[in-house]
Amino acid sequence: MSAGELTSQAMTTDHIAGHLRVGGHPPGGVRDSADVRVEQHRLPQTYAAFAALRDATGEQTAAVLQVLALYGHAVDNGDAELLAQVFVDPPALDGATSPAHHTVNTEVKQVPGGLAAWSRLITIAGDGSVASADVVDVLTETPAGWRVARRAVHPRHGGPAAVADGQAPWA
């Protein structure tokens, strides 16, 4: 490893570690856009059980990624028709101004009766504040394509947990 790579790795490690310190800020005075204290959670047992499931096919994964991408567009634009292409039983939209929603880092696995997807949901509010959560979706295949039948959300920066470590929300 070159000196430049070592320095870059140390800076990255210091930066990440800084977010985990009391106050949630990396060294050097750089702050999160929302100036939020970061309280990370870990779900090692739950994730290990999910990772051990059989991978979805490439075609299944592509279909699920498309459905989960539609979620952000539907919610951000208040589009109930589009939201019906995401959920078996779509939630009601409240009409309030919504932050930007981004579904990333999605893994798709096969489960009895369908598929499960573990994703990171990132929201960015109009004031620039950012929040994220782990989301586990259980999807079922309908005549119109894959749809989310159940969703469990675990905020990564505090907040009430919908998934406890060791739970299997896809079961």
Side-chain angles (χ1 to χ4, degrees), residues 38-57:
V38 177
E39 296 178 12
Q40 294 287 13
H41 74 278
R42 301 287 182 261
L43 296 172
Q45 294 173 338
T46 299
Y47 180 77
F50 181 83
L53 296 171
R54 193 165 53 131
D55 288 337
T57 66

Side-chain angles (χ1 to χ4, degrees), residues 11 14-36 38:
M11 286 173 33
D14 287 346
H15 183 83
I16 293 167
H19 284 283
L20 303 178
R21 283 199 296 266
V22 175
H25 304 296
V30 178
R31 300 191 184 282
D32 289 22
S33 61
D35 198 23
V36 206
V38 177

Side-chain angles (χ1 to χ4, degrees), residues 74-152:
V75 173
D76 294 347
N77 295 301
D79 189 332
E81 223 173 274
L82 192 56
L83 199 59
Q85 294 178 40
V86 177
F87 292 96
V88 169
D89 186 18
L93 293 167
D94 65 10
T97 302
S98 177
H101 293 79
H102 305 276
T103 303
V104 299
N105 298 348
T106 301
E107 290 186 64
V108 183
K109 302 290 185 170
Q110 296 182 14
V111 295
L115 299 171
W118 187 311
S119 305
R120 180 73 39 81
L121 178 63
I122 300 170
T123 60
I124 305 169
D127 66 0
S129 60
V130 178
S132 68
D134 283 293
V135 178
V136 178
D137 291 309
V138 176
L139 297 99
T140 188
E141 194 167 20
T142 72
W146 290 99
R147 299 291 184 267
V148 175
R150 288 193 326 264
R151 172 169 273 194

